[in-house]
Amino acid sequence: MPISRHIYILAFLLIYVYNTGYSQEKYNNISFEVKKFTQEGDSLRIDVDFNFSNLQLSSREQLVITPVIKNSDRELDLKPLLINGKIRHKVYLRQKAFGTLDDINKKGLEVIKKSTQGNQIISYSTTVYLDEWMRNSDLYIQESSCPGCGKAISKNERLVAQNPTLETIEPLNQENIEPAVTFIIPEADSIKKRYKQGSAYLKFEVGKSVINTSIADNAAELAIIHANLEELTSDKNVSIQNISIIGFASIEGTANFNKRLSEQRAKSLQTYIQQKYSLPYSLFNVSWVGEDWDGLVTLIQSGNMDKKQEVLAIINDTEILDGREKKLMQLDGGQPYRFMLNTYFPLLRRVNYVINYTLPPFSLEESKQIIRKHPDQLSRRELFLLADSYGKGSPEFFEILEIALNVYPDDTITRKNAAASYIMQGKYNKAEKLLSNTKPVRNQETLYNSIIQNNEYNNLKQDQ
């Protein structure tokens, strides 16, 4: 066979595989297979299988995988997939429990721990509103790695699928079309769970473990806890389930001493609250971690101290028992360490607390009373039924759905109901903004919006 014919056949095969958009690629020891980049109604469905079996990840490292839809003019970052090393995942779980996650970890569609045994295949699936520009877009995978886990030091991007598979839709007669909307009744919550959380920075007299309200800022710190507890204990609707307390210490001194110190802080706050409010001992879950290196890393990452990267490198690369603190004290004549001692360490000496409580279901009449002072006590269903009781299209109906959106900003059904109410009011831009970042609801009553395609509004129709 002539050489030219070999070249022609090879080129044809390469073009065919590249343009299918559903192929398996190798990417920095990560295999991924794009299974769907497909229109479904007015939504765009993205399904990707990731194989992390050969991924090498240090225990403190975090890898962020972000699918991106983009063309030459616009792009949309989808919710990322986060893979943590062993230690980093423990940090993630602790920060999640106390509500201190940063934005990237909050936005993760899924956060997983890297497995060290066997195959690890994760299926990523999401659906977004199909905006017009996406019809001529491509799908990319962006990878960002942070060893510390501080600032990302390596970023890569790979084109994985070109042009979504689009449905063939018959053109609509757009004359005299009026927006038509329906609303979704949210399901009832089996248990209405809520929580309040905070941090207390308490000072103790030398050699004593009892909290003294007359020294330092102890009175002000305790006043915040009092406000939360008195609000909850005086509310007949509230049932406190448990109070989690965890003590922390800064890093100066020995690890054993700091662990005892964090234990003292946690137990002292427990005793103070228990005696002040006559709460049962069984209500408390008390723990302590000693030196709060994770908290220090977070403060360093968000600040602008000198030798920032060098300090983070020492923390990341040197174990505590191998002289981590000593290396920090020796860096640049001790200047960075003195800065942390005065600026960051006081913020590490604290006790975090979470008060978990439940609420009962409320009748329509009770909801009318509660919404003005405590709308957060109402469930999604209670808020919708209350709004509906005033009649769809009434000022009260629109107001309460707006309140529901403020209370449950990330809830899919609440967002869709709010979007439908905006359409009824002619606020099409606000409706489109809500729907463009909202997953479709399947197997439920459908929010249906047939909209004329013109300058005022543009194809606001939810999946059926």
Side-chain angles (χ1 to χ4, degrees):
M1 182 182 295
I3 295 177
S4 60
R5 187 177 178 188
H6 280 293
I7 295 173
Y8 174 79
I9 293 173
L10 178 59
F12 174 82
L13 290 174
L14 288 173
I15 292 171
Y16 174 78
V17 172
Y18 184 75
N19 285 332
T20 59
Y22 303 98
S23 58
Q24 186 164 347
E25 299 282 353
K26 191 75 172 178
Y27 185 48
N28 284 1
N29 291 327
I30 301 171
S31 298
F32 53 83
E33 184 177 0
V34 181
K35 292 192 170 182
K36 280 192 177 182
F37 185 43
T38 308
Q39 177 187 3
E40 294 183 359
D42 64 350
S43 299
L44 184 60
R45 176 72 174 270
I46 296 95
D47 286 346
V48 184
D49 280 355
F50 291 92
N51 189 332
F52 299 111
S53 305
N54 296 321
L55 173 64
Q56 299 297 317
L57 204 65
S58 69
S59 61
R60 293 182 180 274
E61 190 171 0
Q62 182 178 72
L63 184 66
V64 181
I65 303 293
T66 307
V68 181
I69 304 167
K70 69 178 181 177
N71 61 16
S72 58
D73 299 319
R74 298 178 63 176
E75 66 179 70
L76 174 67
D77 289 359
L78 304 180
K79 288 191 175 183
L81 174 64
L82 288 82
I83 307 93
N84 292 325
K86 180 178 180 181
I87 295 177
R88 181 61 212 170
H89 200 65
K90 290 181 179 179
V91 174
Y92 164 79
L93 294 176
R94 186 158 60 243
Q95 291 175 343
K96 181 180 179 182
F98 286 99
T100 59
L101 291 173
D102 59 19
D103 287 343
I104 190 67
N105 281 275
K106 287 180 182 177
K107 293 177 182 177
L109 182 69
E110 189 170 0
V111 182
I112 61 173
K113 177 184 174 183
K114 174 66 180 77
S115 174
T116 57
Q117 297 179 348
N119 292 333
Q120 185 173 29
I121 298 175
I122 304 298
S123 295
Y124 178 102
S125 180
T126 190
T127 307
V128 297
Y129 173 71
L130 179 63
D131 210 343
E132 189 64 29
W133 68 269
M134 296 179 186
R135 295 179 179 275
N136 295 308
S137 66
D138 301 320
L139 179 64
Y140 290 78
I141 297 295
Q142 292 181 350
E143 176 191 29
S144 177
S145 174
C146 53
C149 171
K151 185 178 180 181
I153 64 168
S154 100
K155 294 184 178 180
N156 299 291
E157 181 177 88
R158 175 71 63 87
L159 172 65
V160 297
Q162 288 183 297
N163 295 328
T165 302
L166 300 176
E167 295 176 354
T168 302
I169 301 175
E170 294 295 328
L172 294 174
N173 181 2
Q174 296 181 353
E175 295 181 2
N176 300 320
I177 297 179
E178 292 293 334
V181 298
T182 58
F183 293 85
I184 305 169
I185 302 176
E187 295 180 358
D189 296 336
S190 56
I191 302 177
K192 290 162 62 177
K193 297 180 180 179
R194 302 291 189 273
Y195 68 88
K196 289 184 179 292
Q197 64 180 10
S199 298
Y201 299 86
L202 301 170
K203 304 294 189 300
F204 294 87
E205 297 176 87
V206 177
K208 296 184 178 181
S209 60
V210 177
I211 296 176
N212 186 339
T213 58
S214 65
I215 65 172
D217 296 324
N218 284 358
E221 293 294 321
L222 293 169
I224 301 172
I225 302 177
H226 288 320
N228 285 329
L229 280 169
E230 287 172 6
E231 177 187 349
L232 297 177
T233 54
S234 63
D235 191 331
K236 61 182 179 59
N237 294 320
V238 169
S239 176
I240 297 178
Q241 299 300 303
N242 60 74
I243 301 175
S244 295
I245 296 175
I246 181 168
F248 297 87
S250 53
I251 68 167
E252 74 274 24
T254 65
N256 287 335
F257 174 80
N258 286 326
K259 191 168 186 178
R260 290 195 301 272
L261 192 59
S262 66
E263 178 184 0
Q264 171 192 336
R265 287 174 179 152
K267 289 183 175 179
S268 296
L269 182 59
Q270 176 201 8
T271 301
Y272 181 86
I273 293 174
Q274 192 174 351
Q275 294 177 351
K276 179 76 175 179
Y277 294 93
S278 302
L279 297 173
Y281 181 83
S282 59
L283 205 62
F284 292 85
N285 179 17
V286 182
S287 60
W288 49 92
V289 299
E291 298 176 349
D292 186 16
W293 287 97
D294 294 334
L296 178 60
V297 168
T298 299
L299 291 170
I300 294 170
Q301 290 172 344
S302 60
N304 293 309
M305 67 174 294
D306 292 338
K307 304 293 181 180
K308 177 177 178 177
Q309 297 305 322
E310 289 89 338
V311 170
L312 289 173
I314 290 174
I315 295 174
N316 181 60
D317 298 336
T318 308
E319 296 295 330
I320 296 174
L321 298 179
D322 292 338
R324 180 190 294 174
E325 186 181 358
K326 183 177 180 180
K327 286 187 178 181
L328 291 174
M329 296 173 71
Q330 292 173 343
L331 177 65
D332 197 25
Q335 188 276 332
Y337 186 87
R338 288 191 294 272
F339 174 84
M340 292 189 293
L341 181 66
N342 296 321
T343 307
Y344 293 156
F345 288 7
L347 301 177
L348 304 177
R349 305 168 193 139
R350 71 196 189 284
V351 182
N352 286 353
Y353 60 90
V354 180
I355 307 168
N356 295 291
Y357 61 98
T358 58
L359 295 161
F362 296 119
S363 67
L364 191 61
E365 290 305 314
E366 290 172 329
S367 298
K368 289 180 180 179
Q369 301 300 318
I370 291 170
I371 191 170
R372 299 304 170 191
K373 289 186 177 180
H374 300 289
D376 58 300
Q377 291 190 0
L378 297 175
S379 68
R380 302 170 307 145
R381 184 182 182 89
E382 288 164 345
L383 284 164
F384 179 81
L385 294 178
L386 177 59
D388 196 49
S389 70
Y390 290 98
K392 291 182 177 66
S394 66
E396 293 84 359
F397 179 79
F398 294 140
E399 179 189 5
I400 294 173
L401 289 189
E402 187 85 40
I403 292 172
L405 183 61
N406 291 329
V407 175
Y408 300 101
D410 299 322
D411 177 67
T412 298
I413 293 176
T414 301
R415 290 169 67 89
K416 291 181 180 294
N417 284 339
S421 75
Y422 288 146
I423 292 171
M424 292 181 70
Q425 300 172 75
K427 300 177 181 178
Y428 304 113
N429 289 336
K430 295 184 72 171
E432 183 176 16
K433 185 177 180 181
L434 273 179
L435 290 178
S436 64
N437 294 313
T438 302
K439 294 181 180 179
V441 177
R442 302 187 183 279
N443 302 321
Q444 296 199 47
E445 179 185 353
T446 303
L447 170 64
Y448 179 82
N449 304 308
S450 289
I451 307 297
I452 303 172
Q453 294 183 350
N454 61 22
N455 292 332
E456 289 186 296
Y457 45 92
N458 182 15
N459 271 350
L460 298 178
K461 175 178 171 290
Q462 179 190 331
D463 247 359
Q464 190 146 2

